[in-house]
Amino acid sequence: MARKVLIAGNWKMNLNHLEAIALVQKIAFSLPEKYYAKVDVTVLPPFTDIRSVQTLTDGDKLLLTYGAQDLSPNDSGAYTGDISGPMLAKLGCTYVTIGHSERREYHAESDELVNKKVRAALKHALSPILCVGEPLEVREAGGQIEHTTNQLVAGLKGLKAEQVKNVVVAYEPVWAIGTGRVATPADAEEVCAALRATLAEKYGSEIADDVRVLYGGSVKSGNIGDLVKCENIDGALVGGASLDADEFTKLCALAAGGPLP
Ligand SMILES: O=C[C@H](O)COP(=O)(O)O
């Protein structure tokens, strides 16, 4: 088992393309190359920023990668406002977030649609970051494992084991997103371990050992160290803290085991 830690900065609907360039430049300048041996760093800007981020990372041969926050289940056609897998692949994206709770809630995305999007991503060699997570009332009733493992199984429906290998799973309890209320490492590990056990059950332990399972929800430099120490947590999907270059750099360095740059 040699899973490399992944820190993914989900910018959500923040920063225009000029601000995106400034932030990526700052991160690249602040995080020395040696850290990338231990941690994969990726940023997930809004669609309108991706071309600028691509030009910068290609031009300066930066070691960080980038991706998108969503994609269409379709490759092309009359789907006003949507962005397709082939478009993201052409822009050099590595990852695409799928099924984030904000999309499930504000865009009524069902497990079925999430599954179609996961397939679309894999079809175009993009690694889906499949998000699962329970709302507060489910956590309070103790249903977090059932809820998240059901979302995982539905999101991966119909995929072959060798496809699942390229998926990243992100456990984001809805009650911990943007609230400052982070799950304890033990709470996060409990669910991440259950997600991995489900992967092992369905696709075999070799695949389950390879898949990275991230935690997301109020992750900061102050808590990343304890989270990545957990056996089944392989990094983080970071929202707010990924918009601040100093904080994000610190977080990436600590996820790599330190020391601070
Ligand atoms: O995708 C990221 C998550 O929604 C977490 O956001 P947050 O770090 O601002 O709580």
Side-chain angles (χ1 to χ4, degrees):
M1 184 193 77
R3 296 185 299 267
K4 190 171 174 190
V5 171
L6 170 64
I7 300 296
N10 176 10
W11 295 0
K12 307 193 179 184
M13 197 176 71
N14 293 293
L15 309 184
N16 62 39
H17 71 289
L18 298 174
E19 293 164 331
I21 293 170
L23 179 56
V24 171
Q25 264 171 337
K26 233 174 148 187
I27 295 166
F29 180 77
S30 316
L31 189 68
E33 289 195 357
K34 63 176 184 184
Y35 290 94
Y36 292 90
K38 292 197 182 136
V39 63
D40 285 336
V41 179
T42 199
V43 293
L44 307 166
F47 290 132
T48 50
D49 299 0
I50 296 177
R51 174 65 177 153
S52 303
V53 171
Q54 178 193 32
T55 304
L56 176 62
T57 53
D58 284 1
D60 287 1
K61 299 194 174 23
L62 303 182
L63 297 177
L64 54 75
T65 60
Y66 53 89
Q69 300 172 18
D70 183 39
L71 89 171
S72 168
N74 304 295
D75 283 356
S76 64
Y79 302 102
T80 302
D82 283 0
I83 301 290
S84 73
M87 292 170 179
L88 297 178
K90 193 78 181 160
L91 284 166
C93 289
T94 301
Y95 299 98
V96 56
T97 311
I98 296 175
H100 192 283
S101 62
E102 286 150 15
R103 295 215 55 95
R104 291 180 191 259
E105 186 182 348
Y106 307 138
H107 297 269
E109 292 199 1
S110 63
D111 280 334
E112 199 192 358
L113 178 60
V114 167
N115 177 245
K116 283 186 184 154
K117 290 185 174 192
V118 169
R119 290 160 183 254
L122 290 168
K123 184 177 168 196
H124 299 287
L126 301 161
S127 283
I129 301 180
L130 170 59
C131 302
V132 299
E134 81 286 358
L136 186 57
E137 60 276 17
V138 171
R139 161 69 60 168
E140 283 172 344
Q144 63 273 16
I145 304 260
E146 195 190 348
H147 185 92
T148 54
T149 53
N150 283 345
Q151 284 180 320
L152 178 69
V153 171
L156 299 179
K157 199 172 163 192
L159 297 185
K160 297 194 177 77
E162 65 263 27
Q163 290 178 293
V164 173
K165 216 169 148 177
N166 299 316
V167 174
V168 176
V169 179
Y171 167 52
E172 297 209 316
V174 178
W175 47 270
I177 297 175
T179 58
R181 191 176 159 187
V182 63
T184 65
D187 285 344
E189 168 65 12
E190 181 203 28
V191 177
C192 292
L195 292 169
R196 196 179 306 285
T198 301
L199 291 172
E201 208 177 283
K202 299 209 57 104
Y203 306 101
S205 59
E206 221 172 282
I207 299 288
D209 278 352
D210 278 352
V211 171
R212 290 187 284 194
V213 181
L214 313 182
Y215 167 77
S218 299
V219 175
K220 301 197 168 36
S221 60
N223 53 31
I224 187 66
D226 287 338
L227 289 164
V228 292
K229 268 187 212 143
C230 297
E231 195 184 331
N232 288 288
I233 301 178
D234 309 311
L237 184 56
V238 184
S242 71
L243 298 171
D244 177 325
D246 292 338
E247 172 66 3
F248 189 64
T249 301
K250 218 163 138 186
L251 197 158
C252 291
L254 291 166
L260 289 178

